[in-house]
Amino acid sequence: MGLLLTLGLAACDKQLDLEPQLAVDAATALNSPEKVESAVVGAYAKLDNPALYGTNFLLLPELLAPDNYVLWQGTFTSYRDIYQRQIINSNAEANRTWQQAYQTINFANLILEALPVVTDADLKQQYEGEARFIRGALFFELVRLYGLPYQAGANNLGVPITLTPNKTAEQASELVPRATVGAVYTQVIEDLRAAEDLLPEENNSGSGRVNKYSAKAMLARVYLQQSNFAMARDLASDVIENSGADLTSTVTGPFRTRNSSESLFEIQQNDQYNAGSGNDGLATFFGPSDFSRGDVAVLVPYLSLYEPADLRGPDANLLFVEDQGGRSGRIRTTKWNNFGQNIPVIRLAEMYLTRAEANLELGTRIGAAPLEDVNTIRARAGLGSLTDITITSVLRERQLELAFEGFRIHDLRRRQLPAGTLAWNSPLLVFPIPIHEINLNNTLVQNPGY
């Protein structure tokens, strides 16, 4: 949108002169290194859209898995229907997440096509890595929401793979069918592997810009979602041992300190520019109603999973608070308590838990024993060490450590565990292809039930 608006500023010298028209050929838009750099910055900014990491990529997976976990109290029917698993094919959240993700993918494709104008070889390589990281991450989020979970050899439908930019009406009207879930994962891994190779170990272009270890960490998440435990283990261990990241000393550190020592990738926000305006944003929905909407309440059965001494739990009053506003009496999370706070997308704590789960599955101890990694996370939470460990206990630590960060339904589905009364592969846990897209593209096959 920003690119098109910029191009649309071109004016005619004569009122009746039809050339140039309002939209200049997009091929001329990114015709200098400076414009490509601006476009890369713009691509990061687009990730903060409320339909993407600004809200929905973190909120929707939590609402979709309400097994005595959270309660939706809000008035927005689009979110309520997701929470109740009564989604329709015109659901506003399913629609805008799809549309904004593909707009941003197209933005990344425009950057990739424009790279030949960048004369500095190192910057050219970095920009390509950043664009491919963004594109790969978005395809990954899309296929997890709009397709069934990954199963090797299965031909379940995923999402369309678009790798060339749309710059004209003719290109935009090209009908692209849905690829299989497996094919989308192949593209995700190809993009993120390229990003891993292309990105520097330290990205000095500014806060929030991804580096080699951001790509490795996202790849570890992707491989874990595939149950490719060996690859997930090795990448997570590489990040833990070599990225230079450290766990913060407190459980609140990753959410109260911008670009903390634990951060591997986070969305940059501030008090002026954030997703929390116009009834959007994580703090808007999760925060207590004395300063926000207080739409998401945390339920007692989930809270009871925390040990009394757990600094992450309700007794510590660090990451939970009782609502004192108009919706008083409910417990809210305070991970998201400020409209302008940054949004951690990948934290080092996730890598410890990924390595622990993968090592345990494989009977290995690459980097550290599974028990040691889990106890590292528990120690930061003020808890004593476990003496033995099972897959169930590792998953429990993930549930406690990564709550409200967009993991819950994805963890249930990849482990083939029920989500409340629904099976892990229930069609009710898969978003519809937006009906508007179906009407425009007759090659798109709708998901069952919609």
Side-chain angles (χ1 to χ4, degrees):
M1 287 291 292
L3 176 63
L4 293 175
L5 288 173
T6 301
L7 297 180
L9 294 178
C12 301
D13 291 333
K14 303 176 184 178
Q15 288 185 350
L16 297 181
D17 186 1
L18 299 181
E19 296 291 345
Q21 299 179 5
L22 291 179
V24 178
D25 183 356
T28 67
L30 303 180
N31 57 6
S32 72
E34 294 76 18
K35 291 178 181 178
V36 173
E37 162 68 10
S38 295
V40 173
V41 173
Y44 281 103
K46 291 171 79 67
L47 294 180
D48 185 39
N49 188 286
L52 306 180
Y53 288 111
T55 303
N56 277 1
F57 283 161
L58 280 69
L59 174 58
L60 299 184
E62 308 300 288
L63 293 182
L64 207 53
D67 46 342
N68 293 319
Y69 179 36
V70 297
L71 169 69
W72 175 258
Q73 292 184 278
T75 58
F76 289 122
T77 58
S78 56
Y79 287 114
R80 182 192 64 204
D81 290 350
I82 290 169
Y83 171 76
Q84 295 178 339
R85 285 81 167 265
Q86 296 177 352
I87 311 170
I88 58 176
N89 60 22
S90 58
N91 180 277
E93 306 314 319
N95 289 354
R96 69 172 181 159
T97 294
W98 176 284
Q99 291 167 0
Q100 287 295 329
Y102 274 106
Q103 286 181 18
T104 307
I105 287 169
N106 191 56
F107 208 76
N109 289 337
L110 285 165
I111 293 168
L112 291 170
E113 186 183 66
L115 287 174
V117 306
V118 180
T119 54
D120 184 299
D122 290 338
L123 284 178
K124 180 179 179 180
Q125 182 170 298
Q126 176 187 310
Y127 297 158
E128 180 180 355
E130 290 175 295
R132 296 197 70 169
F133 176 94
I134 290 169
R135 187 173 73 180
L138 289 173
F139 278 132
F140 178 52
E141 302 293 358
L142 284 170
V143 76
R144 291 199 294 177
L145 291 174
Y146 296 88
L148 286 167
Y150 176 86
Q151 292 176 280
N155 290 317
N156 298 320
L157 290 178
V159 296
I161 299 174
T162 54
L163 304 180
T164 56
N166 291 329
K167 297 183 291 186
T168 67
E170 290 75 18
Q171 291 171 333
S173 64
E174 181 182 352
L175 304 182
V176 182
R178 296 174 68 181
T180 64
V181 170
V184 178
Y185 269 85
T186 297
Q187 181 60 49
V188 169
I189 292 169
E190 181 180 326
D191 272 340
L192 294 177
R193 280 295 187 192
E196 177 190 7
D197 291 338
L198 292 163
L199 287 167
E201 292 194 5
E202 293 186 20
N203 193 329
N204 297 316
S205 294
S207 297
R209 302 281 286 263
V210 293
N211 60 29
K212 186 178 299 292
Y213 292 103
S214 309
K216 289 176 183 286
M218 185 64 82
L219 270 167
R221 184 183 292 183
V222 172
Y223 282 123
L224 189 69
Q225 199 70 37
Q226 288 186 305
S227 296
N228 186 336
F229 295 110
M231 294 301 299
R233 174 201 61 195
D234 293 349
L235 284 160
S237 191
D238 188 358
V239 172
I240 293 167
E241 304 299 330
N242 300 311
S243 67
D246 292 302
L247 292 179
T248 60
S249 60
T250 65
V251 297
T252 57
F255 310 99
R256 306 289 185 265
T257 304
R258 297 182 187 277
N259 306 304
S260 74
S261 63
E262 186 170 332
S263 175
L264 295 164
F265 174 54
E266 65 184 63
I267 302 299
Q268 307 295 299
Q269 298 192 128
N270 57 43
D271 291 341
Q272 288 73 44
Y273 300 98
N274 58 72
S277 59
N279 288 322
D280 252 319
L282 295 171
T284 299
F285 295 126
F286 280 108
S289 60
D290 57 347
F291 83 93
S292 67
R293 292 181 58 89
D295 284 344
V296 181
V298 187
L299 297 177
V300 170
Y302 172 74
L303 294 169
S304 66
L305 299 177
Y306 288 97
E307 299 170 47
D310 196 329
L311 296 176
R312 302 167 300 186
D315 292 346
N317 292 318
L318 293 174
L319 293 174
F320 292 101
V321 66
E322 183 176 345
D323 199 330
Q324 303 295 324
R327 288 176 171 168
S328 63
R330 292 288 187 178
I331 302 298
R332 315 286 178 194
T333 177
T334 59
K335 277 189 176 180
W336 316 114
N337 73 338
N338 187 304
F339 300 124
Q341 73 183 96
N342 284 2
I343 302 172
V345 174
I346 313 176
R347 297 195 285 124
L348 188 64
E350 177 193 348
M351 296 296 103
Y352 276 103
L353 294 170
T354 294
R355 185 170 73 176
E357 182 180 347
N359 266 324
L360 192 58
E361 280 282 357
L362 298 170
T364 57
R365 49 178 301 154
I366 300 298
L371 185 61
E372 181 182 347
D373 278 340
V374 170
N375 282 336
T376 295
I377 300 301
R378 288 175 58 84
R380 199 252 301 263
L383 297 172
S385 296
L386 298 176
T387 56
D388 59 14
I389 195 169
T390 64
I391 290 296
T392 299
S393 56
V394 175
L395 294 177
R396 174 63 55 84
E397 285 302 319
R398 283 183 67 90
Q399 188 178 4
L400 300 177
E401 175 68 29
L402 303 175
F404 323 117
E405 297 179 51
F407 288 90
R408 188 64 186 137
I409 194 63
H410 301 314
D411 277 351
L412 291 173
R413 295 173 79 198
R414 70 180 177 80
R415 297 298 317 195
Q416 300 188 6
L417 297 171
T421 59
L422 297 180
W424 63 275
N425 58 353
S426 170
L428 295 177
L429 299 176
V430 180
F431 280 179
I433 307 303
I435 188 62
H436 176 72
E437 303 297 325
I438 296 282
N439 291 337
L440 291 175
N441 181 357
N442 59 16
T443 70
L444 293 177
V445 177
Q446 183 58 280
N447 283 322
Y450 297 108

